[in-house]
Amino acid sequence: MADRAYAEAADRALAQEDVPELATALLKAAIAYSGHWQDNKEAARLVADVNARPAGFRQRLVDELGRTLASLAQESGARVNALGLAAAVGRDLPWGEALHAARREKLDEIGRMSETGYHGWVPELVLAELAAGRPVEPAVVAALRRSALSAYGYKPVIAIAARLTEPVLNVGEAWADRALADGERWHALLAHAATATAARPTARWEKTGRALAEEAGEDEVRERLLGWLRLVGAPRTLPLGEERFGPNPNDTYDPYNANALRGLAWLLSFLPPHPETARVLGSLVETSLRKVAGLGPRGPKVANAGVTALSLIDSEAALAELARLATRVTFKGTLKVLDAALEARAVALGLGREEIEELAVPAYGLTGVGRAEHPLGETTAVVEVRGPRAVLSWRSAAGKAVKSVPAAVRRDHPEELKELKAAVKDIDKMLGAQAERLDRQFLARRTWAYGKWRERYVDHPLVGTLARRLLWVVDGTAVGFADGELRTLDDTPVTGAGAVTGDAEVTLWHPIDREPAEAAAWRDWIERHGITQPFKQAHREVYPLTDAELRTATYSNRFAAHHLRQHQFHSLAAVRGWHNKLRLAVDDSLPPAVRELPQWGLRAEYWIEGDGGDDYGHVTDSGSFLRLRTDQVRFYPIGAPGNRAHACGGAYTMHLHDGADPVDPVPLAEVPALVLSEVLRDVDLFVGVASVGNDPTWQDGGPEGRYRDYWTSYGFGELSRTAETRRVLLERLVPRLAIAGRCRIEGRFLHVRGELRAYRIHLGSGNVLMDPGDQYLCIVPAGRSASGPETGYLPFEGDRTLALILSKAMMLAADTRITDPTITRQILRERA
């Protein structure tokens, strides 16, 4: 074998003390051994034989290697072998300048690596540094530690990493750099935090942590820890070279520091409760669950630690943060920890899970529904909920509005100002979370006693701002809140003395339960009172069975044959309570997207498959499909065996175990109307948001033009139920607009007459055609569109396409004032 021949040549040269020949033979052997002088028996034996020779002989060999290295081109792969060999046989010897420069260069290279990989020269160079009595640079230490934690850890690197105890954290992350810069007095606490390798703190770990915190001073510990954790997720201070395959290491947590983050979260839970602690831990959870391409959530273990810490803190703020996160988190592992924490709190208080979530919503200092006033010297701070967000404003002693924070408040009340600003941010977060929770109540089969409902909903300082914009059924009577009272459809108050008893039943109103005329009347009522609902309720789409679904009996094809952006669909499905797995271009079978409905004993399935086959132009670097194809919607009993299909496409079949019998799908006619309607509404939302037909830049059909026909049919075709709802609403809204004289609704389009052209905006996709000739006008939204002052009053929040259509209509009606050259060129070129 070649390596044996090289070893024999080296042995001969060593016996003859022929240094040039020995250097040549060892360098050739290095190629055969891939530069691994420690974990290859023959290589290790050769190095040991050389190292047994006197220092003078070895110095001559090192000098010869230095001359060889200097003669090699910079890009030569032999340079690193010469360098590694010199380190293996001359760790304790002086090096020439060429070797010194090359070693410094390679050590710098190590410090920029995410992981060092299976490189034999890495441990040799580091051992040489240690043998020479020089400290290993912190960036190099960090790379070695990350490599030691790798699933494919290299044993020589693992052994070296275990010897490196300084610095206590890996450098390169903003929070860790700050913690290290805060001084050695915190190193013991940080070192203890770094030992947090379990799922929960043990009694022994907690005892040590409490002692360290008490010794350092609990208030100062809290201040330091919160300061560090606020920096988590900031850009790396020492960028790493991107991996060719896999996630970008600059977007992930340093795995060595991740344990310390987990420990810091736990340490916070041992300190006296503080509102800022709950805020920072909640932010840590969300930051840790942000998706990284090719990886998924950035740091699930850190997120779980944040939830665990919140569950250990006995405070209203911590419970509120748990309840808020429960409505926002979609990652299954962390959601499981959240559910367990809330269930445990519910059991401890003798309450149901739903009640815990209701009681967990704090007032955030609001003294009335959606409003609070805080005197600060001669100025009054006013916190007020306006629609989906909170606003902080100021009034002078004379009651006049002040545009900005008065200088006296900044000077004399800095802590109160800081807390007010934090409360506004907390309210904004909680409003969104509570709106999502309320939207999910339609399928929760939830009822309330009137007295508790008033306390927890209509009269609650924060939830009341949402509940008072919704419709309810009280003791069988549909009501809404207007002019300070609960009122019926004819505006009769229902809350007078003795009008409603405290135990009267309250439920959330849904149009599927009402006659069409009543639902239409409530839409009029909402608009007449100028109410903007936090989500579609009065205008909510309903999905009764179609003739086609009666014929298919057990499945709906209503939302089949669509092409969806997979990652957008995946995120949206999670928000709506569906469980889904990303389709990868691999030989694997997966279940459909599933929403479990335990209150109804049912499981809904949306059948999907990867779109692109083995064409790698249609997958991400991590192998997941960019797009999906959609198929049937079905319902099964909740305990039925699951269906599975190949990720790349193919028929779904029931996955049976231990001789179990297959279970038939539930006939659609037997699915409760509310359940069918809400599930199909979810699926309509998935298609409406994630369809490639919504992308205004895909008029050419996208990659290779393969979606041209679909894009055209979706972008300008028949309206979905959601789009029909939008059309009916626009028929009412458009006459109220300043541009009403230039607009009309006809069929599937909003027609807009500009000065230069006439335009048609599709009510489903928001895509635009120009007359004459049906010429497509590409308008790419600048960012997330939302209804603003330019669109006027809307009766509900959340329909981005509706706001987009209105914005486009107003812009195109004044087309001579458009300044965007990408739009004006299309209008003028096609017109010419």
Side-chain angles (χ1 to χ4, degrees):
M1 295 175 63
D3 54 351
R4 182 63 236 167
Y6 295 139
E8 291 173 352
D11 286 336
R12 287 194 299 271
L14 183 60
Q16 298 168 7
E17 295 192 352
D18 187 339
V19 171
E21 188 61 30
L22 178 59
T24 300
L26 288 173
L27 285 173
K28 289 180 178 180
I31 297 173
Y33 302 138
S34 300
H36 297 289
W37 299 107
Q38 294 186 48
D39 60 340
N40 181 290
K41 288 184 178 179
E42 186 65 26
R45 195 269 305 167
L46 273 176
V47 168
D49 287 349
V50 174
N51 281 328
R53 294 302 179 101
F57 175 80
R58 289 188 293 116
Q59 184 68 64
R60 288 163 52 204
L61 178 57
V62 169
D63 292 342
E64 181 66 25
L65 290 169
R67 286 189 290 272
T68 300
L69 183 139
S71 69
L72 295 170
Q74 189 68 27
E75 64 274 9
S76 172
R79 288 175 59 85
V80 74
N81 284 328
L83 189 61
L85 182 56
V89 301
R91 293 173 188 164
D92 56 338
L93 301 175
W95 285 24
E97 183 55 36
L99 284 174
H100 264 305
R103 183 161 73 179
R104 286 193 297 270
E105 175 188 326
K106 281 299 177 182
L107 287 170
D108 287 344
E109 183 180 323
I110 294 172
R112 295 191 296 272
M113 291 179 175
S114 172
E115 295 179 12
T116 61
Y118 194 66
H119 299 302
W121 55 269
V122 171
E124 300 299 345
L125 295 192
V126 176
L127 287 171
E129 286 289 290
L130 293 173
R134 285 186 290 270
V136 180
E137 287 296 317
V140 178
V141 174
L144 295 170
R145 287 170 171 171
R146 288 191 293 268
S147 303
L149 292 172
S150 168
Y152 305 100
Y154 179 35
K155 288 182 180 179
V157 167
I158 294 174
I160 295 170
R163 296 172 55 180
L164 303 173
T165 59
E166 294 294 335
V168 67
L169 296 174
N170 276 359
V171 297
E173 292 183 315
W175 78 267
D177 291 352
R178 173 69 63 81
L180 293 171
D182 280 348
E184 291 188 5
R185 65 168 299 205
W186 300 105
H187 286 191
L189 194 72
L190 289 167
H192 182 60
T195 65
T197 56
R200 293 178 66 89
T202 64
R204 183 177 179 181
W205 196 96
E206 179 178 345
K207 181 179 179 180
T208 302
R210 287 184 180 276
L212 288 169
E214 185 176 351
E215 180 183 352
E218 290 179 336
D219 289 342
E220 190 171 358
V221 169
R222 179 191 300 109
E223 182 181 349
R224 294 289 178 172
L225 266 59
L226 293 179
W228 301 338
L229 293 182
R230 288 189 191 100
L231 294 174
V232 174
R236 283 189 59 87
T237 56
L238 294 176
L240 301 173
E242 292 190 27
E243 296 290 334
R244 183 178 177 187
F245 302 104
N248 183 341
N250 296 294
D251 296 332
T252 65
Y253 285 162
D254 186 303
Y256 186 84
N257 288 349
N259 283 337
L261 283 176
R262 183 155 54 178
L264 294 178
W266 293 347
L267 286 169
L268 277 173
S269 71
F270 305 154
L271 305 176
H274 190 279
E276 189 63 16
T277 298
R279 291 187 190 114
V280 171
L281 286 173
S283 178
L284 177 67
V285 172
E286 291 184 297
T287 299
S288 301
L289 293 179
R290 286 180 188 152
K291 298 290 181 65
V292 173
L295 176 68
R298 176 185 287 174
K301 290 182 179 179
V302 177
N304 294 351
V307 173
T308 297
L310 286 167
S311 72
L312 296 173
I313 298 173
D314 186 13
S315 75
E316 179 185 87
L319 180 57
E321 200 62 27
L322 286 172
R324 184 186 71 82
L325 289 169
T327 68
R328 310 289 293 190
V329 168
T330 59
F331 180 65
K332 195 171 183 180
T334 304
L335 193 56
K336 184 178 180 180
V337 180
L338 271 167
D339 287 341
L342 287 170
E343 288 289 351
R345 191 66 62 91
V347 170
L349 296 176
L351 299 171
R353 165 66 184 274
E354 296 87 354
E355 288 186 287
I356 277 290
E357 291 188 1
E358 292 168 355
L359 294 172
V361 186
Y364 294 113
L366 300 172
T367 52
V369 176
R371 184 179 174 83
E373 295 187 2
H374 302 272
L376 298 176
E378 296 185 354
T379 304
T380 299
V382 181
V383 178
E384 190 173 18
V385 176
R386 299 177 187 172
R389 59 189 298 267
V391 176
L392 176 61
S393 59
W394 304 90
R395 289 207 315 260
S396 67
K400 293 184 178 179
V402 180
K403 289 185 177 181
S404 58
V405 183
V409 172
R410 294 183 185 276
R411 182 186 65 245
D412 301 333
H413 304 278
E415 289 303 315
E416 293 94 329
L417 176 61
K418 179 181 177 181
E419 185 58 32
L420 280 172
K421 289 182 176 180
V424 167
K425 291 181 179 179
D426 289 343
I427 292 170
D428 283 350
K429 291 180 181 178
M430 187 59 85
L431 281 171
Q434 291 302 308
E436 290 175 8
R437 182 177 71 84
L438 283 166
D439 196 7
R440 291 203 290 263
Q441 295 304 307
F442 291 114
L443 285 177
R445 307 189 87 169
R446 188 92 166 90
T447 62
W448 299 267
Y450 178 78
K452 288 185 176 179
W453 172 76
R454 289 279 328 200
E455 176 187 352
R456 299 176 186 178
Y457 286 87
V458 173
D459 295 333
H460 188 280
L462 185 139
V463 182
T465 66
L466 302 169
R468 292 185 177 194
R469 294 188 281 142
L470 294 173
L471 301 177
W472 303 86
V473 179
V474 178
D475 202 19
T477 301
V479 299
F481 194 93
D483 301 323
E485 295 275 3
L486 285 173
R487 300 178 182 274
T488 61
L489 190 55
D490 63 2
D491 280 337
T492 301
V494 297
T495 54
V500 183
T501 61
D503 58 357
E505 185 178 87
V506 180
T507 59
L508 195 58
W509 183 96
H510 193 288
I512 198 77
D513 303 321
R514 327 305 292 189
E515 292 294 328
E518 180 190 343
W522 276 112
R523 288 194 288 272
D524 290 340
W525 188 92
I526 289 287
E527 294 170 26
R528 184 171 74 250
H529 286 285
I531 295 171
T532 297
Q533 297 197 291
F535 48 82
K536 285 184 184 177
Q537 185 192 26
H539 296 78
R540 201 173 189 86
E541 301 83 8
V542 294
Y543 297 79
L545 276 174
T546 64
D547 291 340
E549 288 161 344
L550 289 172
R551 288 193 296 272
T552 56
T554 59
Y555 62 89
S556 170
N557 269 331
R558 202 184 303 201
F559 300 104
H562 286 280
H563 301 271
L564 310 184
R565 293 178 289 267
Q566 172 167 216
H567 293 83
Q568 193 171 13
F569 164 79
H570 183 70
S571 297
L572 188 58
V575 169
R576 295 299 301 169
W578 291 68
H579 300 298
N580 179 58
K581 292 187 176 181
L582 287 172
R583 266 58 183 168
L584 304 177
V586 295
D587 186 13
D588 193 13
S589 63
L590 296 171
V594 169
R595 181 171 182 180
E596 294 184 347
L597 305 161
Q599 296 91 340
W600 304 88
L602 293 171
R603 179 183 77 229
E605 296 185 353
Y606 190 25
W607 290 7
I608 54 177
E609 62 185 34
D611 189 0
D614 57 359
D615 181 349
Y616 289 98
H618 294 270
V619 299
T620 66
D621 290 341
S622 61
S624 60
F625 286 103
L626 289 169
R627 288 167 287 277
L628 300 172
R629 288 190 297 269
T630 69
D631 203 342
Q632 303 173 8
V633 174
R634 292 189 176 212
F635 292 83
Y636 286 88
I638 196 166
N643 290 301
R644 299 180 75 89
H646 198 280
C648 301
Y652 275 91
T653 57
M654 190 162 278
H655 200 59
L656 302 175
H657 293 282
D658 302 325
D661 294 326
V663 176
D664 293 332
V666 177
L668 297 182
E670 297 178 13
V671 177
L674 174 63
V675 174
L676 179 70
S677 185
E678 284 297 298
V679 166
L680 291 181
R681 184 177 184 272
D682 274 356
V683 179
D684 194 357
L685 176 68
F686 301 155
V687 173
V689 173
S691 171
V692 300
N694 283 328
D695 191 332
T697 67
W698 273 34
Q699 69 268 29
D700 60 354
E704 303 168 6
R706 68 163 60 183
Y707 301 102
R708 185 178 291 110
D709 292 341
Y710 171 75
W711 186 87
T712 301
S713 65
Y714 181 87
F716 299 105
E718 295 299 322
L719 300 182
S720 66
R721 180 72 62 173
T722 300
E724 284 286 356
T725 300
R726 195 176 293 136
R727 182 183 63 78
V728 172
L729 178 59
L730 283 168
E731 287 176 342
R732 304 164 67 89
L733 293 180
V734 167
R736 308 173 192 171
L737 300 177
I739 60 170
R742 291 182 169 272
C743 299
R744 76 178 192 281
I745 295 173
E746 192 175 295
R748 305 188 294 268
F749 295 92
L750 171 60
H751 293 249
V752 180
R753 177 171 50 82
E755 295 293 337
L756 301 173
R757 303 289 292 264
Y759 310 90
R760 286 178 289 150
I761 307 174
H762 190 259
L763 301 180
S765 65
N767 290 337
V768 181
L769 294 175
M770 297 184 291
D771 293 328
D774 289 348
Q775 296 153 348
Y776 176 66
L777 175 60
C778 179
I779 302 176
V780 180
R784 294 190 63 181
S785 177
S787 59
E790 74 278 3
T791 60
Y793 163 76
L794 296 177
F796 51 79
E797 297 163 3
D799 189 340
R800 181 177 181 272
T801 303
L802 174 62
L804 187 65
I805 288 170
L806 289 170
S807 295
K808 286 183 177 181
M810 292 177 179
M811 178 181 69
L812 295 172
D815 54 7
T816 56
R817 295 203 293 269
I818 297 174
T819 57
D820 187 333
T822 62
I823 298 175
T824 57
R825 276 198 300 267
Q826 295 177 76
I827 294 173
L828 297 175
R829 181 179 68 246
E830 300 293 353
R831 180 168 178 257

